[in-house]
Each structure stands twice: as C-alpha cells, then as structure tokens.
Amino acid sequence: MRPVPANPVPSYEVWALPGVPEVRPGDDLAKLIANAATAEGLPGLAHGDVLLVTSKIVSKAEGRIVHAEDREAAIDAETVRVVARRGPTRIVETRHGFVMAAAGVDASNTAAGTVLLLPEDPDGSARRIRDGLRDALGVDVGVVLTDTFGRPWRNGLTDVAIGAAGVRILDDLRGGADAHGNPLSVTVVATGDELAAAGDLVKGKAGGLPVAVLRGLPHLVDDGGRDEGEAGTVGDSVDEGARGMVRAAADDMFRLGTSEAVREAVTLRRTVREFTDEPVDGAAVRRAVAAAVTAPAPHHTTPWRFVLLESAEARVRLLDAMKDAWVTDLRSDGFSEESIRKRVRRGDVLRRAPYLVVPCLVADGSHPYPDERRATAEREMFVVAAGAGVQNLLVALAGERLGSAWVSSTMFCREVVRETLGLPDDWDPMGAVAVGHAAAAPPARAARDTEAFITVR
C-alpha cells in the first residue's frame, strides 16, 4: 500500500454522473440528479462536492424551449446589444450580461423546429438545485451551471460558469504575495470557469452526460452552517453567484467588435463644454492625431498640422490675444460693452479646458488656377480634407474617453494665432479643439431620421 505523505499533494477527482434521464419541462432536476447519484456502484454525493450541470437540461426543465423555425428571431429576442457581426455570425450581449455567440440560443439536443434558450435566472436555478439536493440527500454541495463559450484571441470552445450557488466563483488574491514575495495586485482567479472546464472534460459535448461531480476541493464550497471542523470554508463570495463574473462595461477594454467600435465612437462624439480638473494624457491626444492624419486629402497631400497647447502658459497667452482681437472686432461692429461681455463669456469653453489643440490647414501641393472658379474649388477641396481630419480627431478622442468641443474662433483671427504661436504664414488655423474629461455626461442626443438626409436618384 502506498504511504500517504505528511503533506498531501493538492488534487481532486471529477467524474461524469450516468443515469440522468432525458429531461422534460417541469421535471425536478434535483430529484433526477439525486436518484442518479445514489445508484448502486456510484460514490454518491458528499459535503463539499461541486456539481457541474450543463445549462441545457436546466433550460429544458424550466420550459425554456421555443418553437422557432427562424433561430435568428429567437436570438434577436434574447439580445440587448450586438457586440460584433461577421456575416451571419453574431456575438451579442444577452439580458443576463453574457457576451457570447448567438445569445446562447441552441438548436442542438432539442426537437426539430425548436430551440433552447438560456435559463432565465441561472444563479436562481443553481440555488434551487442545491436546496433540492440538501433536502433529498442531506448534503451541502456547490452547484455550477455551465455553458459553452468561445474566447477572444483563442481557438476552440470551453465550458464556463453562467450560474452558481454555494461555491466560490472568484478567488481574489490581490493583496497577497507569490512564492517569491512579489505582491499580487491584479490576480483574481476565475474559479467558477475553471470548475466548469474541469467538468466538461468528462461530460463532453455529445456523450449524453449532462452532469459531473468534482470532489477534493471542499474549501471552495459553502459549509451550509455545519459544525466547525467539517469540510467547506469559503467567504462571502458564494452569495453573489456567477453574475459576479460578468465584467462591468466601464471595466471592459474589449467591449466591441471593430465596426461596432467605430460606430460607438462616432455616437460617443459629443460636444463637451464643461471639464474636470483631471489632466489630459498627451499620449492619448497623439494617438488621436495619428487617426486624424489618415483622413482623405486631394492630390496625395497631407494638409493637416496640429498644434498641441499642453502648457497653461501657452493656452492663456493665445486665448488672451484672441480675446483682445475679438473685442476689437465686436466694438468695430457697434456692439455694446455689455453685449461684448456676454459674447466673450459664451466663448470661455476654451479657457475651461485643460488642453487645447489648434488644427491647421496647409495647402502645400494645391494646384494653381488662373480663374477664380477653379481656384475656389481647389481651396474647398483642402478645406474639406481639413474637416475630415478634425472629425477623425474628435472621434478618436471620444474613443480615448476624452470630451471635446470644436470651436471656430481661431478662424476669425488667423494672423493673431500665427503670431502668438509662432506658426508659418501658410498654416491656416481651422478653429480650436477644447479637450478634457467631461464634468458630466452630455444630454441624450435627439434621434434623427436618417432618411431626411438622403436623396436617391
């Protein structure tokens, strides 16, 4: 007999549970699993075991079967947001918050002409199975509901946890140290997904074995209030269920597919006039400029220049000079001093911004024409290219989560701007862009009827 070491090597065992019959709507899953687990020749269930249950049988028991010849319509009904689309394939966010292919709508392992939807409340389903097994067998086990997901950047599918009860689904190691004493500052282990994948190794995808039992990790399972000394010691994380594994939108760096990200950035691009005191990362602005200079331009030219006013001294010097020029113009136009003060205050958005960008048009490479008509058209082509560059800049800033406001004021005093900033004579300032972190979310944009802007011939 092999001796047992004084300090046993960590290990666990996992096996598929045979004998679970075909599940039908209204079936008591806990009773079906209890009967299968206590069949002759099987080890049964014990305190601290983890039960890994394929969500499809939960969907069947709960009647989440839809008669749908058109699977796409069922996917639409379960979708709250399309994350990415390539041909007929859609990665979507479900009403549960899961980001997955086809909203988890499955046409396999169900009768022809029907599809299976995910359980309405996977964590609630897991709790009911756990409570039923406690009532039937007197054991406290952890329950993990699993489903199959693809993963960004990785080929192949794996099972993950979509519902859980009585089991730790996240193991937060932050604040601890590794074997070399290095602090762990970002390590949160997806224990629920690791358990789900372990069960999938023995259940398989087509073996008719929808339940697996994992034994040997009782520290992950809630002890159900048993006396001290019995297996099972977990923290409060068991109460949250698998919903705690869904990353919040604000923390998700990869929330969108490529085309969806472009559309979202365009939608996010709003004029922001009030900014916080938080400094602007100059590297983020430079990344936005890199996007700006990809805009189309005539004659294979590069007619954009961007002056970045990163110091407060440079911003104040420019804005003071522009204000003096503006006030002089307004007085010459006959405005009263009170009216001038009001107009100047309305233009103070540039002063409230912690960062300014002055986009300039350089028409180097433009073609000379002797007649005014063609010369005007040539100039307009370059102006349009400058506008395209600024639009790219604004959208890219929105993608960097920076607010912006494009203000035209520098166009009314170009000589003053060139002189104050020491710019070449052929640089034409095309307004100024205030950049910063928005002090508040801008109001919702009023819906616009796209057809009102389209003429078809």
Side-chain angles (χ1 to χ4, degrees):
M1 181 175 179
R2 186 171 58 186
V4 177
N7 295 306
V9 176
S11 65
Y12 64 86
E13 55 182 328
V14 59
W15 64 91
L17 186 64
V20 177
E22 178 66 26
V23 176
R24 294 176 173 79
D27 280 349
D28 185 336
L29 270 184
K31 184 176 294 185
L32 295 181
I33 294 170
N35 290 339
T38 55
E40 186 176 353
L42 294 179
L45 295 179
H47 291 311
D49 286 348
V50 179
L51 208 64
L52 305 157
V53 182
T54 302
S55 63
K56 288 182 180 62
I57 66 170
V58 179
S59 296
K60 289 180 179 180
E62 295 179 354
R64 296 282 286 163
I65 306 172
V66 176
H67 291 274
E69 297 294 340
D70 181 8
R71 179 171 176 246
E72 296 302 310
I75 295 172
D76 289 341
E78 293 294 296
T79 296
V80 298
R81 181 175 63 91
V82 175
V83 175
R85 184 192 303 268
R86 182 167 295 175
T89 302
R90 283 184 286 170
I91 306 298
V92 304
E93 180 181 345
T94 73
R95 291 180 290 103
H96 316 78
F98 306 142
V99 175
M100 60 192 307
V105 176
D106 198 342
S108 63
N109 296 304
T110 184
T114 66
V115 294
L116 289 174
L117 311 181
L118 292 179
E120 189 77 33
D121 175 13
D123 287 330
S125 302
R127 285 193 297 271
R128 287 189 290 275
I129 294 172
R130 183 173 194 252
D131 292 344
L133 289 170
R134 182 190 297 117
D135 293 342
L137 302 178
V139 294
D140 284 303
V141 298
V143 176
V144 176
L145 264 57
T146 72
D147 200 72
T148 302
F149 276 46
R151 300 153 301 155
W153 313 293
R154 306 284 288 181
N155 286 323
L157 304 172
T158 186
D159 267 20
V160 302
I162 66 166
V167 62
R168 179 185 296 161
I169 48 90
L170 290 172
D171 198 2
D172 191 347
L173 304 180
R174 292 173 296 182
D178 64 16
H180 297 278
N182 300 309
L184 299 174
S185 57
V186 296
T187 304
V188 180
V189 178
T191 306
D193 287 349
E194 292 181 331
L195 292 169
D200 189 41
L201 290 174
V202 295
K203 289 188 297 176
K205 301 298 184 189
L209 297 168
V211 180
V213 180
L214 185 146
R215 178 169 294 171
L217 301 175
H219 61 284
L220 298 178
V221 179
D222 180 18
D223 64 11
R226 297 189 302 276
D227 292 336
E228 186 177 355
E230 294 191 60
T233 55
V234 295
D236 295 335
S237 64
V238 299
D239 297 330
E240 193 174 17
R243 68 180 179 274
M245 304 188 76
V246 177
R247 192 186 299 274
D251 299 328
D252 190 349
M253 295 176 65
F254 310 102
R255 185 169 167 78
L256 300 169
T258 303
S259 59
E260 290 73 23
V262 171
R263 284 196 292 272
E264 175 124 327
V266 172
T267 303
L268 285 173
R269 193 223 59 77
R270 303 294 304 280
T271 296
V272 173
R273 299 185 181 278
E274 298 294 338
F275 303 95
T276 69
D277 294 331
E278 183 179 353
V280 171
D281 180 6
V285 177
R286 285 165 173 78
R287 290 193 293 270
V289 170
V293 299
T294 65
H299 314 317
H300 305 289
T301 59
T302 54
W304 321 275
R305 304 292 186 272
F306 295 90
V307 185
L308 310 184
L309 276 63
E310 297 187 329
S311 72
E313 185 274 332
R315 293 192 296 274
V316 171
R317 181 160 46 85
L318 173 64
L319 296 176
D320 284 348
M322 289 172 56
K323 177 183 175 182
D324 291 342
W326 192 13
V327 169
T328 299
D329 284 345
L330 292 173
R331 283 174 178 159
S332 68
D333 292 337
F335 287 94
S336 69
E337 293 302 312
E338 178 62 24
S339 178
I340 290 172
R341 280 193 293 273
K342 288 181 180 179
R343 288 172 178 269
V344 169
R345 279 200 300 272
R346 286 201 297 270
D348 272 352
V349 60
L350 296 178
R351 290 189 183 273
R352 294 192 292 269
Y355 198 108
L356 293 181
V357 178
V358 178
C360 295
L361 167 63
V362 179
D364 187 22
S366 62
H367 295 173
Y369 290 101
D371 62 287
E372 183 178 350
R373 177 181 59 84
R374 287 186 292 171
T376 298
E378 181 76 2
R379 166 74 181 178
E380 288 174 344
M381 286 197 305
F382 279 81
V383 171
V384 168
V390 174
Q391 171 71 356
N392 277 12
L393 176 78
L394 300 177
V395 170
L397 288 171
E400 296 282 352
R401 294 299 189 263
L402 289 170
S404 64
W406 185 15
V407 182
S408 62
S409 51
T410 67
M411 300 173 69
F412 291 90
C413 52
R414 288 185 167 121
E415 289 295 338
V416 171
V417 175
R418 281 193 287 261
E419 180 180 351
T420 304
L421 298 180
L423 304 180
D425 293 341
D426 61 344
W427 287 30
D428 269 354
M430 304 299 288
V433 179
V435 182
H437 297 272
R445 188 193 300 273
R448 292 174 178 170
D449 178 12
T450 305
E451 293 302 318
F453 302 92
I454 297 174
T455 299
V456 179
R457 294 289 186 264

